[in-house]
Amino acid sequence: MTKYDVIVIGSGPGGYVTAIRASQLGLKTAVVEKESLGGVCLNWGCIPTKALIKSAQVFDYLKHAEDYGLVVKEYGKDFDAVVNRSRNVAAGMSKGVQFLMKKNKIDVINGHGKVLPKKQVSVTLDGKEEIYQADHIILATGARSRELPALPQDGKKVIGYREAMTLPKQPKKLIVVGSGAIGIEFAYFYNAMGTEVTVVEYLDRIVPVEDEEVSKQLERSFKKAGINIMTSAEVTKVDTKGKGVKATIKTAKGEEQLQADIVLSAVGIKTNIENLGLQDVGIAIDRDKILVNDFYQTNLPGYYAIGDVTKGQALAHVASAEGILCVEKIAGHHVEPLDYGNIPGCTYCYPEVASVGLTEAQAKEQGYDIKVGKFPFSASGKAQAGGNSDGFVKVIFDAKYGEWLGCHMIGAGVTDMIAEAVLGRKLETTGHEVLKAVHPHPTMSEAMMEAVAAAYDEVIHI
């Protein structure tokens, strides 16, 4: 029986990053994967969706070439080629992970992994089972699209995010159920490509985890782009008989029926904790999550869990950070628990959405006396020159001590700007320090400095 220091089950951005860090720390490491290296994120999530979105943006630019003084007489789209580009980008990234596994001397074991007692892992491939031993077993099996009883997925007319990425042909009409990051990104992509899109959200606003002003701005931008938005609405049933699909939607005004080619269910995720042997071994679970301590140890010594299967935010960068922390602790390093209050969230539609920390409502609920600053991109020279004046940067500070409580952005490229706020909060910076850090002109990032200036009544450009 082959013996390792660390076996990681799952090779997504949690698993493969964990394996690499373990190997760097001198631990003999293997990773178990039943599909493709890189997991959902690289193959069916973060990366290929960004490739689709890039195609949609380029198409959008062509449609608005005249706004930039350019004449494009003929242009069109090849939906298959757009999908193929996305798949090729994903395949390239997965090959990159293969290279990293080889470079770091990590054994890749293909098959379905399952934990056994006595720190063993069983891996089954094509009916053949192999048993491996490890001092430390880390579960990083991620999650999949959640199904609602009223919205069973058939993979053809009612689909999840996986099918939405590789549709054989572009739908004329699409209903997107759920307005979290996944639903919103697909709504943007398909609308930009020319599909008639309706977004149905159960809560009273889209992107409900974001600051309320961001939700309002995104709704305005989406409506301007021709996306139909239904909030405080619920799909109660779908009829897939005949051509297309009929969705019954319950709203405050009563029931209405919508016709579409396809319904995309984007109502959250379900963790992959079945068939892993957790019950047999006695690993504690609570409501679809594996219970772990601050360093990702389960209730059983030698068994750990990271990423979507645990209680933190279900985000790729969270899984990576958790995995690194987990193996550094195993290797005897002094590590501090992850600060889940300082995790950035990003949505890659247009305009992009990025945020970290408390919303204005949350800061007030927690009893802070706050200073709020907002700077619109309509007042930014770089945004105007780039034709990207939608959106704003909003910052929230504690009036008493100057602590940076939250930052919320909506606009072009803001997902690349949010790290300034994450780093600033990590370093316990104050508003005045951000204000006195000279930001380059003309850039979108100046809006950050200007928003902070607005919070302290020192804003120049509005």
Side-chain angles (χ1 to χ4, degrees), residues 22-232:
S23 179
Q24 286 174 349
L25 292 163
L27 302 166
K28 186 184 179 193
T29 306
V31 69
V32 179
E33 176 53 62
K34 65 176 184 176
E35 282 192 35
S36 309
L37 283 171
V40 166
C41 178
L42 260 69
N43 296 287
W44 298 102
C46 338
I47 304 302
T49 51
K50 303 311 156 278
L52 293 176
I53 284 164
K54 188 65 202 177
S55 293
Q57 282 176 335
V58 173
F59 191 49
D60 224 24
Y61 270 138
L62 289 170
K63 282 189 257 181
H64 296 103
E66 281 180 21
D67 297 351
Y68 298 88
L70 303 172
V71 179
V72 178
K73 287 215 167 104
E74 273 184 50
Y75 66 90
K77 63 176 186 293
D78 178 342
F79 189 73
D80 284 349
V82 167
V83 169
N84 286 340
R85 175 180 181 269
S86 166
R87 299 317 309 149
N88 289 339
V89 168
M93 295 298 287
S94 192
K95 281 199 184 80
V97 178
Q98 281 172 30
F99 163 75
L100 290 172
M101 296 292 110
K102 276 204 188 88
K103 179 187 163 193
N104 289 283
K105 299 181 177 56
I106 295 160
D107 290 349
V108 176
I109 305 166
N110 294 110
H112 176 79
K114 198 171 171 179
V115 291
L116 301 173
K118 298 179 188 160
K119 297 186 187 174
Q120 292 181 352
V121 172
S122 129
V123 181
T124 312
L125 183 65
D126 300 331
K128 277 171 62 184
E129 184 187 38
E130 294 277 346
I131 309 288
Y132 302 88
Q133 181 92 37
D135 293 329
H136 307 278
I137 297 164
I138 302 171
L139 291 154
T141 49
R144 61 186 185 272
S145 180
R146 182 164 72 102
E147 286 199 52
L148 292 180
L151 211 53
Q153 294 176 25
D154 59 13
K156 298 274 188 292
K157 291 182 181 179
V158 182
I159 61 171
Y161 59 78
R162 263 178 110 122
E163 295 87 358
M165 254 177 270
T166 52
L167 285 178
K169 67 179 210 238
Q170 185 182 343
K172 286 195 169 65
K173 286 186 179 179
L174 174 72
I175 297 167
V176 178
V177 185
S179 73
I182 293 172
I184 286 296
E185 287 177 13
F186 279 118
Y188 164 72
F189 167 70
Y190 278 103
N191 172 70
M193 296 299 287
T195 296
E196 192 183 307
V197 176
T198 298
V199 175
V200 180
E201 170 54 55
Y202 181 71
L203 296 173
D204 61 355
R205 57 192 176 91
I206 59 169
V207 287
V209 300
E210 300 295 341
D211 190 88
E212 205 167 327
E213 289 190 87
V214 169
S215 292
K216 282 181 184 155
Q217 173 62 56
L218 187 63
E219 186 166 333
R220 276 197 299 273
S221 297
F222 265 26
K223 282 180 170 169
K224 195 166 75 179
I227 296 172
N228 179 28
I229 307 259
M230 297 176 77
T231 49
S232 302

Side-chain angles (χ1 to χ4, degrees), residues 293-313:
N293 69 5
D294 284 349
F295 304 106
Y296 311 102
Q297 295 166 331
T298 67
N299 58 312
L300 285 191
Y303 295 82
Y304 308 77
I306 61 150
D308 295 359
V309 293
T310 64
K311 68 181 186 311
Q313 297 99 317

